[in-house]
Amino acid sequence: MDLYEYQGKELFRRYGIPVSEGRLATSQADARAAAEELGLPVVVKAQVLTGGRGKAGGITLAETAADAEARAHEILGLDIRGHVVTKVWIERASDIAREYYLSLTFDRSAKKPLFMFTTQGGVDIEEVAATSPGALVRLHVDPLEGCHPWHGRRLVYEGGVADVGEQKQIAAIVGKLYEAYVGCEAMLCEINPLIVTPEGEVRALDSKFTVDDNALFRHADIAAMRDLAAADPLEALAREKGVTYVKLDGEVGVLGNGAGLTMSTVDVVTFAGGRPANFCDLGGGGDAQGVVDALEVITRDPQVDAIFFNIFGGITRCDEVARGILQALAQMTIDYPIVVRLDGTNADEGRRILAEAAPAGLHVEPTMLAAARKAVALAGARSTRAGLELLGDGD
Ligand code: GDP
Ligand code: MN
């Protein structure tokens, strides 16, 4: 789960990482009141779950409370790469002498948390990595040993921080960032920029904080930070129903059992010349309710023109899945074709059950590739027909 800047900063604050004082505002009036309360000048910052807000006009300075109100008016409602701003964070403006970068993320290949630090902060870190890779210090932490003071010292020395006061503050922030990361079961904690004020004070001016979804059950306070309004409505529905679902951009709805098979299904649809509309993993079960839930989510996507149901029976028995599909179809109306491929445990019985019931619009195919081709062809036919109808050309 990605957190907003203000939420990440709240967690930073809890772990003792210095941040500026601020207030959340959802209206111009709030923004004005916040500016008056905080003291001027303030910075008005769009709260959206995407980076590069500065470049997109989502961050501006305001010298007066009236100015803060006007800036909030401009930013609220702004569309930043598909994210509409509904909240702004008003923060006491900082004077900046230098902008650094510090992050801690999980390096899957090394199976260890990875610190990255550079004194060339403020800009895209990808740019620093590409143009001056030598300026980016990388340091892994052995999760069993944990983070120790030498990690912080190594990062600041190798990063070339000359000032002793800065070295000490940054090294301390390194330790606290590790505590925040482990304490919140984060996947990413990024501070860009980590600023140095003209007085030599080091502070986190921005936050990017991602918490492991699978650990949220242990962090009710963080889970409660989820902004349901900002989430993709389909993915929100899927989460509510306990369905593993990722929205994609094509026309062929994909439903498989097991993440590996579902990934392969997405690939084979592409191979057959189609575009998958989603990734949806039915998981281990195949009971009617699971099928209904998954189909409900998939069919809510208006882009779907056909569904490819790909099941490999292991512990999950194909006959059970077949019954699940029939029960699901009895409970809901789906007005586009469904192509089913069943293989593995009790596949023959599953196919027989489907063949006997023979619901309209259901096609059973013997192989994954044949089924993918069929689903792609049916999706194509359907969208062409819809297109012709739209043109008033249908018969
Ligand atoms: P991002 O563009 O989404 O990464 O948003 P940031 O919070 O990192 O802000 C972008 C840039 O705005 C920073 O790198 C700063 O240069 C500038 N900025 C943000 N807050 C302040 C502030 O309090 N004072 C000053 N002078 N500049 C700020
Ligand atoms: Mn930033």
Side-chain angles (χ1 to χ4, degrees):
M1 176 171 90
D2 295 329
L3 300 181
Y4 287 104
E5 173 196 3
Y6 77 95
Q7 297 172 324
K9 280 181 167 170
E10 162 62 21
L11 295 176
F12 282 171
R13 200 185 52 73
R14 281 187 209 171
Y15 283 88
I17 296 168
V19 289
S20 305
E21 204 193 338
R23 301 275 183 279
L24 193 66
T26 52
S27 70
Q28 291 161 249
D30 283 358
R32 184 187 192 112
E36 277 163 356
E37 203 182 328
L38 290 165
L40 294 150
V42 292
V43 54
V44 181
K45 308 184 80 175
Q47 297 301 291
V48 279
L49 296 174
T50 181
R53 295 164 301 161
K55 282 183 206 152
I59 292 172
T60 49
L61 277 162
E63 298 292 341
T64 66
D67 203 13
E69 185 173 341
R71 298 285 88 79
H73 177 65
E74 281 164 17
I75 294 174
L76 288 166
L78 193 71
D79 186 316
I80 301 181
R81 282 182 300 280
H83 300 255
V84 178
V85 183
T86 58
K87 296 181 277 196
V88 288
W89 178 243
I90 315 288
E91 189 172 272
R92 185 71 192 266
S94 306
D95 287 330
I96 303 175
R98 282 180 285 284
E99 294 190 316
Y100 298 161
Y101 170 100
L102 175 67
S103 70
L104 179 57
T105 179
F106 192 71
D107 181 353
R108 288 172 193 273
S109 51
K111 300 177 182 147
K112 286 173 185 165
L114 171 68
F115 272 114
M116 285 193 272
F117 175 73
T118 175
T119 52
Q120 301 186 13
V123 291
D124 281 348
I125 195 60
E126 288 79 6
E127 209 174 298
V128 177
T131 55
S132 39
L136 189 64
V137 188
R138 296 161 51 93
L139 182 64
H140 286 103
V141 178
D142 185 316
L144 296 179
E145 288 174 11
C147 187
H148 292 279
W150 68 265
H151 287 102
R153 290 198 293 268
R154 171 78 66 85
L155 287 165
V156 295
Y157 295 151
E158 285 191 12
V161 177
D163 182 86
V164 177
E166 284 180 33
Q167 289 173 352
K168 285 193 173 146
Q169 292 176 74
I170 297 167
I173 291 172
V174 164
K176 286 167 183 161
L177 196 65
Y178 191 81
E179 282 171 28
Y181 176 92
V182 173
C184 299
E185 298 187 81
M187 305 295 289
L188 168 72
C189 291
E190 184 188 82
I191 308 175
N192 189 25
L194 178 69
I195 59 153
V196 185
T197 67
E199 296 75 38
E201 191 198 324
V202 180
R203 204 180 313 146
L205 208 67
D206 190 9
S207 95
K208 207 167 176 186
F209 208 117
T210 307
V211 180
D212 184 353
D213 274 328
N214 295 310
L216 280 175
F217 73 98
R218 282 196 284 256
H219 305 275
D221 56 333
I222 301 175
M225 291 179 175
R226 192 189 292 283
D227 184 350
L228 294 171
D232 178 86
L234 274 173
E235 293 192 357
L237 176 72
R239 192 170 296 113
E240 198 181 292
K241 294 203 170 279
V243 174
T244 308
Y245 175 90
V246 179
K247 166 101 177 80
L248 301 171
D249 206 30
E251 297 78 34
V252 182
V254 168
L255 187 49
N257 68 323
L261 182 68
T262 311
M263 290 286 264
S264 309
T265 311
V266 164
D267 284 346
V268 81
V269 165
T270 311
F271 180 74
R275 296 191 312 159
N278 64 274
F279 168 101
C280 186
D281 174 9
L282 203 55
D287 59 322
Q289 194 53 50
V291 176
V292 170
D293 287 345
L295 284 176
E296 233 172 76
V297 175
I298 294 176
T299 56
R300 195 69 71 85
D301 175 0
Q303 256 175 266
V304 173
D305 282 321
I307 294 176
F308 177 10
F309 215 119
N310 192 10
I311 300 296
F312 189 88
I315 297 170
T316 305
R317 289 164 23 220
C318 290
D319 57 317
E320 203 176 299
V321 176
R323 284 189 202 95
I325 295 172
L326 293 179
Q327 282 180 40
L329 291 180
Q331 282 180 38
M332 59 195 297
T333 343
I334 296 178
D335 47 9
Y336 34 76
I338 299 180
V339 182
V340 183
R341 172 259 183 172
L342 295 174
D343 210 344
T345 311
N346 293 2
D348 289 340
E349 200 189 335
R351 290 196 206 109
R352 188 184 52 74
I353 290 168
L354 291 178
E356 272 172 17
L362 191 97
H363 308 258
V364 181
E365 291 290 333
T367 68
M368 196 155 144
L369 186 58
R373 288 194 169 128
K374 183 91 179 183
V376 169
L378 289 169
R382 192 170 176 273
S383 41
T384 310
R385 199 171 58 238
L388 288 174
E389 276 163 16
L390 216 69
L391 290 170
D393 231 8
D395 52 17

